[in-house]
């Protein structure tokens, strides 16, 4: 039978919670709060451009496999499209579309002049050799060559990709246009125009937002009991920075399982352990094994889901004991679970604010590249701190003035700014 790389639009299972439906519900709530014109809402609900390409990749054994690669460009009213490239088996066009929409609100909320986009390929990177990953990344980039560019659409790392993939993308783009174009991607290696501080940026942003939320409650990070789901780029950086600030990170997990320590994990040692054990924390000495389901319901002050979407759901939300939930991942708390947490008075720090540190330093990287002037890490971190704290304060103030939850406040600010720009620019023709 002939198979096609294009995935069906239907949900994979009846229990599946579609991230795009959720993103649209949040948009609708913000539109109601803003009393947005229905026509404007229609424009903002639809991505401007959706690209799906077939990626033929030659495996090391000589066989050819066809993968589906997506890039969704949601809205570029405020500036070039911006957003990561995800390599994960659960990638679908609907997921990528939802994540592209979140990027639009995130950039607008942080006050950085970008529109939202996202890309992805449904694959498990662990099942591919480095040379296979390089071939498929280059082919994907080449298929998108007319749709990306430093003033058009600027990819960055996301789940399953890193500076390595960005270097391949930058090189493929540059070779095709005939000269080096560092600004076509962010999150690059330092050797080709990457920024100091970019790798830790998303985790640092999470730490800043949690720190500010605690300060508003008269607390500090010191001695806070923190649980983190996910120990990839974001989770491990947030864990390290919180550990350094005196918090007790009592549990962390990866897809293969987690570890728990009542007295707090030694995060630098855990990072070193994960680096040697194919990024898994399972088997880390002086810690108790724990699974992902148990981890989410541990008694703690701060819970940081830093892995996939739909982790805190209707099923487990009543068991969540944290007083603050910081969405380091995109969409880890479902709509229903979010309502339940808000009703119980749990502080939910929404993704478009809590995990915005990555795209903020992407922006700083892009600005440094365009101005041919590179900053030291201290300056990058200072600018990140400023933009994160500013956005946090705006969300808090808006939430207080309007008497609305933080997520709705964040969405209202982000969506409102894009809607204003769209109104001012007007519709063409
Ligand atoms: N993938 C990250 C995010 O979801 C960063 C995107 C970027 O830097 O463009 O925010």
């Amino acid at each position: 039978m002939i198979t096609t790389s294009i995935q069906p639009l239907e949900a994979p299972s009846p229990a599946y919670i579609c991230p795009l439906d959720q993103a649209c519900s949040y948009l609708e709530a913000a539109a109601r709060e803003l009393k947005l014109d229905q026509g404007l809402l229609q424009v903002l609900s639809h991505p401007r451009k959706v690209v799906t390409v077939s990626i033929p990749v030659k495996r090391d054994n000589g066989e050819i496999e066809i993968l589906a690669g997506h890039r969704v460009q949601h809205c570029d009213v405020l500036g070039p499209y911006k957003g990561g490239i995800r390599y994960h088996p659960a990638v679908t066009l609907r997921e990528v579309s939802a994540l592209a929409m979140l990027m639009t609100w995130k950039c607008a909320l942080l006050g950085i002049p970008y529109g939202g986009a996202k890309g992805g390929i449904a694959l498990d990177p662990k099942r591919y050799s480095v040379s296979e990953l390089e071939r498929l990344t280059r082919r994907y980039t080449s298929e998108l060559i007319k749709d990306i560019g430093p003033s058009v659409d600027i990819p960055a790392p996301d789940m399953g990709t890193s500076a390595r993939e960005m270097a391949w993308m930058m090189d493929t783009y540059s070779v095709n246009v005939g000269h080096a174009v560092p600004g076509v991607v962010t999150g690059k290696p330092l050797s080709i125009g990457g920024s100091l501080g970019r790798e830790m940026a998303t985790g640092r942003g999470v730490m800043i937002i949690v720190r500010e939320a605690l300060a508003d409650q008269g607390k500090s990070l010191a001695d806070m009991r923190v649980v983190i789901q996910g120990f990839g780029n974001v989770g491990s950086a947030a864990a390290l920075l919180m550990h350094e600030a005196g918090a007790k990170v009592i549990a962390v997990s990866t897809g293969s399982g987690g570890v728990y320590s009542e007295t707090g994990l030694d995060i630098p040692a855990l990072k070193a352990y994960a680096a040697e054990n194919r990024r898994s924390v399972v088997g880390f000495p002086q810690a108790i094994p724990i699974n992902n389901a148990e981890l989410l319901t541990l008694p703690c002050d701060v819970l940081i889901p830093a892995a996939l979407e739909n982790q805190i759901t209707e099923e487990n939300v009543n068991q969540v004991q944290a007083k603050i939930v910081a969405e380091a991942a995109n969409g880890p708390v479902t709509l229903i679970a979010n309502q339940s947490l808000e009703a119980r008075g749990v502080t939910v720090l929404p993704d478009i604010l809590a995990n915005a540190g990555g795209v903020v330093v992407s922006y700083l990287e892009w600005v440094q590249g365009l101005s041919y002037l590179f900053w030291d890490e201290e300056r990058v971190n200072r600018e990140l701190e400023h933009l994160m704290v500013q956005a946090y304060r705006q969300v808090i103030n808006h939430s207080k003035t309007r008497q609305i939850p933080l997520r709705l406040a964040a969405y209202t600010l982000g969506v409102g700014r894009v809607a204003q720009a769209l109104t001012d620019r007007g519709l063409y023709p």
Side-chain angles (χ1 to χ4, degrees):
M1 195 179 83
I2 293 175
T3 56
T4 164
S5 57
I6 308 300
Q7 297 149 346
L9 279 178
E10 302 89 63
S13 84
Y16 177 72
I17 302 162
C18 173
L20 186 57
D21 292 345
Q22 305 236 15
C24 288
S25 300
Y26 288 134
L27 168 61
E28 270 179 68
R32 267 197 304 279
E33 169 68 19
L34 289 161
K35 300 191 174 50
L36 213 66
D37 170 80
Q38 278 304 309
L40 272 186
L41 174 58
Q42 285 300 316
V43 176
L44 298 177
S45 311
H46 292 84
R48 177 154 177 218
K49 193 166 188 177
V50 177
V51 186
T52 294
V53 295
S54 294
I55 306 164
V57 51
K58 191 178 258 172
R59 303 292 307 248
D60 291 341
N61 65 7
E63 280 175 18
I64 291 173
E65 186 178 314
I66 313 288
L67 299 166
H70 309 291
R71 184 75 179 167
V72 175
Q73 298 174 331
H74 173 253
C75 175
D76 67 344
V77 183
L78 291 175
Y81 297 107
K82 187 83 191 80
I85 304 282
R86 180 172 289 203
Y87 287 179
H88 190 275
V91 162
T92 62
L93 186 54
R94 289 182 77 81
E95 181 198 47
V96 175
S97 305
L99 295 170
M101 189 188 274
L102 291 194
M103 286 307 299
T104 303
W105 318 140
K106 194 186 295 185
C107 294
L109 175 63
L110 268 291
I112 56 181
Y114 287 137
K118 201 76 160 198
I121 306 179
L123 84 148
D124 181 355
K126 288 199 217 76
R127 289 188 43 249
Y128 293 80
S129 69
V130 173
S131 42
E132 288 170 341
L133 288 170
E134 176 168 354
R135 285 196 288 277
L136 70 90
T137 301
R138 288 185 181 277
R139 181 61 187 249
Y140 173 58
T141 310
S142 146
E143 294 294 337
L144 292 179
I145 212 97
K146 293 197 172 69
D147 296 297
I148 59 174
S151 53
V152 182
D153 182 354
I154 307 140
D158 195 80
M159 187 178 288
T161 60
S162 64
R164 182 183 66 181
E165 283 73 18
M166 294 309 113
W168 293 332
M169 291 191 85
M170 180 269 188
D171 184 66
T172 305
Y173 185 86
S174 299
V175 168
N176 273 274
V177 299
H179 56 94
V181 188
V184 66
V185 290
T186 59
K188 301 179 287 291
L190 290 177
S191 61
I192 50 170
S195 175
L196 291 164
R198 175 62 183 87
E199 210 164 312
M200 295 287 281
T202 315
R204 186 175 296 278
V206 172
M207 182 276 289
I208 292 169
I209 297 297
V210 171
R211 187 199 65 206
E212 292 299 301
L214 286 167
D216 277 349
Q217 299 175 3
K219 299 177 193 151
S220 80
L221 274 168
D223 289 327
M224 282 295 126
R225 292 160 63 82
V226 179
V227 169
I228 304 183
Q229 185 198 36
F231 205 59
N233 169 273
V234 181
S236 66
L240 188 64
L241 293 167
M242 294 207 182
H243 175 82
E244 285 172 2
K248 276 197 185 78
V249 181
I250 58 167
V252 306
S253 66
T254 59
S256 50
V259 284
Y260 168 78
S261 163
E262 179 57 34
T263 50
L265 296 157
D266 178 347
I267 298 299
L270 186 59
K271 272 196 88 164
Y273 179 87
E276 276 165 28
N277 290 277
R278 307 185 90 234
R279 289 188 227 126
S280 169
V281 295
V282 175
F284 180 62
Q286 290 147 21
I288 301 168
I290 187 169
N291 66 35
N292 262 295
E294 292 164 337
L295 175 130
L296 293 171
T297 60
L298 282 173
C300 62
D301 299 295
V302 183
L303 172 62
I304 304 180
L308 271 178
E309 54 258 20
N310 298 341
Q311 297 302 300
I312 302 175
T313 67
E314 222 174 329
E315 306 297 318
N316 62 1
V317 67
N318 289 335
Q319 282 96 57
V320 170
Q321 300 187 58
K323 293 165 203 78
I324 293 179
V325 175
E327 289 189 317
N330 289 309
V333 178
T334 66
L335 188 92
I336 307 272
N338 180 62
Q339 284 164 353
S340 153
L341 290 172
E342 283 173 358
R344 266 166 48 199
V346 176
T347 303
V348 184
L349 300 165
D351 45 12
I352 59 169
L353 174 66
N355 72 27
V359 73
V360 166
V361 178
S362 274
Y363 166 61
L364 301 177
E365 175 178 330
W366 184 72
V367 167
Q368 291 171 75
L370 292 179
S371 59
Y372 301 95
L373 187 66
F374 289 86
W375 309 340
D376 61 21
E377 192 164 357
E378 203 263 327
R379 167 138 188 224
V380 173
N381 289 343
R382 193 163 15 103
E383 303 278 352
L384 169 66
E385 167 87 23
H386 168 70
L387 288 171
M388 295 299 292
V389 172
Q390 173 178 277
Y392 173 81
R393 289 258 70 90
Q394 289 172 353
V395 171
I396 292 293
N397 292 341
H398 196 61
S399 153
K400 284 198 180 128
T401 326
R402 297 289 308 155
Q403 296 281 307
I404 52 176
L406 296 183
R407 187 187 306 274
L408 183 56
Y411 267 77
T412 308
L413 288 172
V415 173
R417 287 172 189 168
V418 179
Q420 184 62 50
L422 192 57
T423 309
D424 291 342
R425 280 183 58 165
L427 266 195
Y428 176 85

